[in-house]
Structures are given as structure tokens and as C-alpha cells.
């Protein structure tokens, strides 16, 4: 019960002080709009092709929403030493890290909901399982957030968190199958694509929204879940090694 | 009675450097235990190991009878920590920070709000309570940080340099809080490099230098080391170095030392120091005496005798950090 109180209050504080600030809310709306517009301008297609761009916009909204904020907020708290306050509390480290990442996961999921809601209003979405889409979005949000956590633990300055995030994000955006199908990537890059969590998230969204997946959805979700577990375990280990050294 | 804090053979290394080199001590329940030493002596590293922010390379730690060596979380529910720099959330108000810290210890909302109000009143920090922490003065921040660390009523409190970098009146107020906590039965582990602060507040003191404890004793016992000694400072307009050598030759039973600011410090280890004789000698040999004053025996003398470190060195470090 005490851990739950601590968990809830850490989550609530982060939502209030970081994620629900007006600039972040407007960014959460503008980001998917900008990406959608960019895809339309590039393809010259009409609104009937919205479903083609939707998986990409959803995945990118989650990826950028979660990694940008989490890596920066945790690094900021580590820098001004308020993270120490959390480490000094009798809250198990895994509960603490789940609470810290909870806000970013929710923020990422809400970011994904924006383009999905827009798509519902603008066009007729094909018959799809909303449960699977929600599970995919959640798993992309969790894996991206844990990647943000890994980045935060690996750097010491806020600006480093941003640059190091891009080191992971941009290759992932280009190799995960959102812009080019993984099958069309050069032979050398194909194995790399399958080492990225977003590849599985993007494929599951393509499968559900466009019926154009290349991997069974259950396999993509399982792969995402594995990435989540591995990234969390690595981050937990790194926090113990570097921050409680 | 079981000690509140026990450390046995604690070692901490950072690469090639040994920050803490096998220290042992025990802190009794309800005691204020001072950990006194210059910057880099290993004070903060020791606190970090005791509170779970650092892992010892060797040794054992027991807090409140609980073995924390391999499990630093074991005793965190009974300890409060005031770090050397305030570590609360800049974007929350003082009151919100207090409530948030209470929540970290599992306190229910009504309970933590009532406790926060009680502490705001006790510390007299109503202004800071309603203000964003980032906008508070250093003294206010310190008071709120101490209040935050005792939200959950810990029986053991670690205070790391609590008065460093704040003004005199705020420091005095914080010393009053610390005395108040002791009266309430809290065990306090206090690190400081303010010798007079340690003397005033602590029951027992450990001197730590270069990661080693060189002496642990009660303040009373430590002060007995300098009993029977008389010390006087003679402030001159100039020429203290030359005159000091001459006084030392003329009065071989006395110890003479040049202090910063053209001051000659003369110590008589046994017997009365005859100030008149020395004043006459100094004036007869061209010294222009500005002031002569008796120096009260203090822990500072003890510290210098035990560690060989001039208290002035620590004061300069302190000024450097505070600025």
C-alpha cells in the first residue's frame, strides 16, 4: 500500500509538472499534424490515403513523445539532485522507475490517440481491432519510454540526453519500415531493422490498419514485450551501477 | 542499548583513490554525533554509504539494528537525510514538496497535509511554504529541506553540512532546529567543517582526515586535552614573523606561531602565561602592538592538535564553498 501511494504520487507529480504543461500538450497536437501534412505533401494523395500514413504518424508520435520528455526530465532531476530524494525513499527501485516512466508512457499513448482520433473524424477507418491497436500503441510507448530511461541513465547533461536520443531515434525511424518496407532495405541493414523495437510496432500497426503486415501480429507484440523487459532490466542495472555506485 | 548507527570497516574507493579507508564507529540512540573534517575527508561519501546512495567496497552497516550492508533500502523508512545541497523540486512550492516527500514514505494525504502544516509552523516557514522552492532564499531552502526530511518522523537523521552557504541568522535558526530535534529524541549524524558548530551541538565527535577516523570522543573528553593550556594572540602592525622567532628564543617554555594577519599566537602548555612580560618584550624589540587577547580553549585547538590541520584551512574551504 505504501509503495502504491509513493508510485501514484510520483506519477501524479510528473504528469502535473512535466507532461501536462501547455507547451507539451500543444506539441502533442502539432507533432502528428505536421507529420501527416508532410506525408500528404510528399505523396500528393487525398484523404482516402490517410490510412497509409496513419501507422507511421502514430508510431512516430509515440516514439518522439516518450523519448524526448523522459530522457530530459530524468536527466534534469539527476542534475539538480531531486532524483536523489527518490533514491533515499524506501521505495523499491523497480517501483520507482516504473513510476518515473509511467507519466511518459501515458503521454506517449495520449500522443498516439491524437492522430487516431483525427483519422476517425476525417476518414472511414477499415475494420480493425482497436484492442490490438491499443496494445501495440501501449507496447511502443513502453519500449520507447524504457529506451528514454536507458538514455537518461547513460548521460549526465540535459543536452546530451537530447543528442543521444537522436542517435537512436533517427536510424530507427528510417529502418523500422515506416518510410521504406524492411524488405526493400539493403541486405546489410535488414538484420539491423529487426533489432529495433519500432520495426515490430510499425509492422503491427500496418497489419491492423492497412492489412499490410509482414510479421504475425502476435509475434510483433511478443517481440515488443521482450524489448520492454530487456530495456527495463538494463536500465535498472545501469541505475544501480551508476547512480548507487 | 543497541546503537542507532554502526559502521564497521567501511571502505569506499573511486578508481585509484580511496575516499573512505576502513572506518568504524557507533552512534548511540538519541545522540548527536559529529563527523568533522576538511573537504574531501570522506564525510559525504560516508553519509552516502549509510543512506543508500553509495555502495561500500567493504565493511558493514547497521542502522536501527537492521543490516543495510547488502540492502540499503532496509532502513530507509527510519532515516531522514538532509543533503549538503537542497534537493527538493524547484517547480513545487515548499508545502507541495513537504507533502510529496511524505507520500514517498507512504503517508496518506490527510496525514501528510497535517504533518506538513505542523512542520511549517514549527520551522516558521509559512512564506516558503507558499512559494515555489526555486524562488526561496538559501536559508528558507535549507529549512524546508530539513522539514522535508523529517516529514515521516524518522528516529535517525543524517545532516550533511546543514549550515554551509547560508547567512548567520539562518544558520543560527537551523542550529536551534537541530537542538529541538535532539530534545525530541532524534539520533543525529551531523557532518560539518564548522568546528564551533560541532562543539556547540554534538555529544560526541569523530575527526576524519583523508578517509580515516583519527579520533572519536565526547566533546567533554576532547576539551580536557587542552585544559591547563593558555593561549594568547598578539596582533602587530608588522614584522610578526621576525618577532615570533625572537620571542621563541627568549621564552623557550612557550610555543610561538605566526597566524594570518600579523598575529603571533603564544601558547603555554603548563603554567600561567604572563602577558605583561611578552607585551614588554615585543615593544622593546620594535613591535607595534595593536591588540592582545586571550584565546579561549576550544575544540579548534583540539582539532589542530589531533589532525595537524589548521582550522583556518577549513574556514577558507568553507568560505570558498559558500561563495
Amino acid at each position: 500500500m505504501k509503495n502504491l501511494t509513493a508510485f501514484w504520487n510520483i506519477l501524479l507529480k510528473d504528469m502535473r509538472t512535466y507532461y501536462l504543461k501547455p507547451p507539451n500538450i500543444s506539441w502533442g497536437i502539432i507533432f502528428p499534424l505536421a507529420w501527416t501534412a508532410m506525408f500528404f505533401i510528399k505523396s500528393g494523395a487525398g484523404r482516402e490515403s490517410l490510412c497509409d500514413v496513419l501507422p507511421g504518424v502514430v508510431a512516430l508520435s509515440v516514439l518522439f513523445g516518450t523519448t524526448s520528455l523522459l530522457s530530459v526530465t530524468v536527466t534534469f532531476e539527476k542534475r539538480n539532485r531531486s532524483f536523489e530524494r527518490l533514491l533515499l525513499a524506501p521505495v523499491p527501485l523497480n517501483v520507482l522507475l516504473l513510476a518515473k516512466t509511467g507519466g511518459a508512457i501515458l503521454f506517449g499513448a495520449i500522443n498516439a490517440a491524437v492522430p487516431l482520433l483525427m483519422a476517425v473524424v476525417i476518414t472511414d477507418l477499415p475494420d480493425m481491432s482497436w484492442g490490438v491497436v491499443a496494445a501495440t500503441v501501449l507496447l511502443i510507448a513502453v519500449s520507447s519510454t524504457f529506451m528514454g530511461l536507458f538514455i537518461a541513465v547513460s548521460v549526465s547533461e540535459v543536452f546530451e540526453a537530447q543528442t543521444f536520443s537522436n542517435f537512436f531515434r533517427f536510424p530507427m525511424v528510417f529502418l523500422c519500415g515506416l518510410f521504406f518496407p524492411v524488405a526493400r532495405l539493403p541486405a546489410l541493414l535488414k538484420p539491423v531493422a529487426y533489432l529495433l523495437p519500432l520495426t515490430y510496432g510499425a509492422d503491427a500497426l500496418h497489419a491492423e490498419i492497412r492489412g499490410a503486415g509482414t510479421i504475425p501480429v502476435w509475434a510483433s507484440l511478443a517481440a515488443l514485450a521482450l524489448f520492454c523487459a530487456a530495456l527495463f532490466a538494463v536500465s535498472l542495472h545501469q541505475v544501480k551501477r551508476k547512480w548507487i555506485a | 542499548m543497541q546503537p542507532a548507527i554502526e559502521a564497521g570497516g567501511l571502505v569506499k574507493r573511486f578508481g585509484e583513490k580511496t575516499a573512505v579507508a576502513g572506518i568504524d564507529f557507533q552512534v548511540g540512540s538519541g545522540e548527536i554525533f559529529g563527523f568533522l573534517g576538511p573537504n574531501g575527508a570522506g564525510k559525504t561519501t560516508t553519509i552516502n554509504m549509510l543512506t543508500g546512495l553509495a555502495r561500500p567496497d567493504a565493511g558493514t552497516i547497521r542502522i536501527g539494528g537492521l543490516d543495510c550492508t547488502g540492502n540499503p533500502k532496509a532502513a530507509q523508512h527510519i532515516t531522514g537525510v538532509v543533503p549538503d545541497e537542497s534537493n527538493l523540486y524547484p517547480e513545487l512550492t515548499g508545502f507541495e514538496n513537504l507533502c510529496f516527500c511524505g507520500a514517498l514514505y507512504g503517508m496518506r494525504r490527510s496525514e501528510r497535509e497535517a504533518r506538513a502544516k505542523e512542520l511549517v509552523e514549527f520551522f516558521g516557514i509559512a512564506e516558503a511554504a507558499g512559494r515555489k522552492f526555486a524562488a526561496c532564499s538559501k536559508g528558507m531552502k535549507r529549512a524546508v529541506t530539513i522539514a522535508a526530511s523529517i516529514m515521516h518522523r524518522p528516529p535517525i537523521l543524517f545532516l550533511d553540512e546543514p549550515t554551509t552557504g547560508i547567512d548567520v541568522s539562518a544558520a543560527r535558526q537551523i542550529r536551534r532546529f537541530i537542538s529541538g530535534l535532539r530534545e525530541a529524541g532524534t539520533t543525529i549524524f551531523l557532518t560539518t567543517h564548522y568546528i564551533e558548530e560541532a562543539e556547540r551541538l554534538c555529544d560526541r565527535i569523530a575527526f576524519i582526515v583523508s578517509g580515516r577516523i583519527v579520533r572519536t570522543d565526547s566533546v567533554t573528553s576532547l576539551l580536557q586535552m587542552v585544559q591547563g593550556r593558555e593561549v594568547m594572540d598578539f596582533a602587530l602592525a608588522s614584522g610578526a614573523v621576525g618577532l615570533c622567532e625572537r620571542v621563541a628564543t627568549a621564552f623557550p617554555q612557550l610555543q610561538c606561531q605566526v597566524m594570518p594577519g600579523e598575529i603571533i599566537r603564544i601558547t603555554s602548555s603548563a603554567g600561567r602565561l604572563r602577558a605583561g612580560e611578552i607585551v614588554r618584550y615585543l615593544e622593546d624589540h620594535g613591535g607595534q602592538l595593536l591588540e592582545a587577547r586571550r584565546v579561549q580553549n576550544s575544540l579548534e585547538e583540539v582539532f589542530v592538535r589531533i589532525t595537524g590541520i589548521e582550522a583556518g584551512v577549513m574556514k577558507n574551504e568553507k568560505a570558498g564553498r559558500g561563495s
Side-chain angles (χ1 to χ4, degrees), chain A residues 2 5-6 9-10 13 16-18 77 80-82 84-91 240 243-245, chain B residues 12 51-55 73 76 84-85 87-92 96 100-101 103-107 112 145:
Chain A
K2 286 190 171 185
T5 305
N9 279 278
I10 294 168
K13 183 205 77 71
R16 271 182 54 203
T17 53
Y18 302 128
E77 288 193 6
N80 72 13
R81 297 182 64 180
S82 45
E84 259 180 29
R85 178 63 58 184
L86 304 177
L87 293 174
L88 289 167
V91 184
K240 283 182 189 164
W243 291 355
I244 312 173
Chain B
K12 183 70 191 172
T51 56
L53 287 181
R55 219 175 297 117
K73 292 268 163 204
Q76 284 181 330
D84 55 347
E85 280 171 43
N87 64 355
L88 295 178
Y89 290 90
E91 63 280 5
L92 299 184
E96 287 168 339
F100 180 71
C101 288
L104 292 179
Y105 291 83
M107 291 169 78
R112 56 183 188 254
T145 307

Side-chain angles (χ1 to χ4, degrees), chain B residues 40-76:
Chain B
K43 303 188 297 290
T44 299
T45 305
T46 304
I47 280 211
N48 285 347
M49 286 191 283
L50 295 173
T51 56
L53 287 181
R55 219 175 297 117
D57 291 314
T60 56
I61 297 169
R62 287 182 82 82
I63 310 276
L66 301 164
D67 187 356
C68 307
T69 316
N71 179 17
K73 292 268 163 204
Q76 284 181 330

Side-chain angles (χ1 to χ4, degrees), chain B residues 193 195-196 259 300-301 303-304 307-318:
Chain B
H193 49 200
I195 297 175
E196 60 277 25
M259 307 293 287
E300 189 173 315
E301 297 291 320
F303 181 80
V304 175
T307 65
I309 297 171
E310 277 301 329
V313 173
M314 296 224 297
K315 280 181 181 160
N316 290 340
E317 285 173 354
K318 178 176 71 188

Side-chain angles (χ1 to χ4, degrees), chain B:
Chain B
M1 197 174 170
Q2 194 176 50
I5 305 167
E6 281 179 271
L10 270 191
V11 176
K12 183 70 191 172
R13 295 184 202 94
F14 295 105
E16 294 291 299
K17 186 179 166 18
T18 302
V20 175
I23 58 171
D24 303 270
F25 60 87
Q26 291 190 341
V27 181
S29 193
E31 182 178 39
I32 298 191
F33 185 81
F35 214 49
L36 193 65
N39 276 347
K43 303 188 297 290
T44 299
T45 305
T46 304
I47 280 211
N48 285 347
M49 286 191 283
L50 295 173
T51 56
L53 287 181
R55 219 175 297 117
D57 291 314
T60 56
I61 297 169
R62 287 182 82 82
I63 310 276
L66 301 164
D67 187 356
C68 307
T69 316
N71 179 17
K73 292 268 163 204
Q76 284 181 330
H77 61 290
I78 55 166
T79 60
V81 183
V82 180
D84 55 347
E85 280 171 43
S86 296
N87 64 355
L88 295 178
Y89 290 90
E91 63 280 5
L92 299 184
T93 65
F95 191 79
E96 287 168 339
N97 264 303
L98 294 182
C99 289
F100 180 71
C101 288
L104 292 179
Y105 291 83
M107 291 169 78
R108 281 174 293 115
R109 188 179 181 158
S110 57
E111 190 188 354
R112 56 183 188 254
E113 283 184 356
R115 175 68 172 155
K117 280 178 192 161
E118 183 189 322
L119 288 172
V120 166
E121 201 175 317
F122 175 74
F123 283 89
I125 47 172
E127 197 185 336
R131 194 183 280 188
K132 287 242 160 95
F133 189 69
C136 292
S137 69
K138 276 188 176 177
M140 275 184 196
K141 281 182 179 171
R142 218 74 193 113
V144 178
T145 307
I146 296 176
S149 67
I150 57 168
M151 267 296 285
H152 58 295
R153 297 184 172 85
I156 300 166
L157 184 63
F158 293 91
L159 288 156
D160 193 4
E161 310 273 358
T163 55
T164 298
I166 56 173
D167 63 50
V168 177
S169 72
R172 196 177 298 147
Q173 193 189 16
I174 281 165
R175 283 188 205 110
R176 272 203 301 272
F177 298 152
I178 296 170
S179 300
L181 289 170
R182 188 244 298 269
E183 279 162 28
T186 307
T187 303
I188 296 173
F189 183 95
L190 170 82
T191 76
T192 182
H193 49 200
Y194 286 72
I195 297 175
E196 60 277 25
E197 180 172 276
E199 183 178 348
R200 204 176 307 166
L201 290 171
C202 300
D203 300 304
R204 284 195 310 134
I205 289 174
F207 292 135
I208 180 168
V209 180
S210 304
R212 291 176 199 282
I213 291 181
V214 291
R215 176 84 182 248
T216 308
D217 219 329
S218 68
V219 173
T220 322
S221 302
L222 289 168
L223 285 172
Q224 274 173 359
M225 285 178 66
V226 287
Q227 263 184 1
R229 270 163 44 108
E230 284 203 24
V231 184
M232 282 196 75
D233 279 351
F234 298 89
L236 300 165
S238 62
V241 176
L243 278 166
C244 183
E245 284 170 14
R246 297 179 81 158
V247 173
T249 314
F251 301 91
Q253 75 280 18
L254 302 177
Q255 291 95 54
C256 304
Q257 190 186 0
V258 180
M259 307 293 287
E262 297 292 326
I263 292 170
I264 302 176
R265 173 164 290 183
I266 299 179
T267 307
S268 167
S269 297
R272 187 151 179 76
L273 187 62
R274 294 172 196 282
E277 271 181 41
I278 294 163
V279 168
R280 265 195 303 280
Y281 183 87
L282 289 171
E283 287 179 344
D284 289 350
H285 291 81
Q288 192 190 335
L289 190 66
L290 303 176
E291 188 192 3
R293 67 180 179 88
R294 205 166 284 278
V295 178
Q296 210 166 3
N297 281 330
S298 68
L299 200 60
E300 189 173 315
E301 297 291 320
V302 181
F303 181 80
V304 175
R305 272 180 76 171
I306 291 175
T307 65
I309 297 171
E310 277 301 329
V313 173
M314 296 224 297
K315 280 181 181 160
N316 290 340
E317 285 173 354
K318 178 176 71 188
R321 281 187 70 187
S323 60

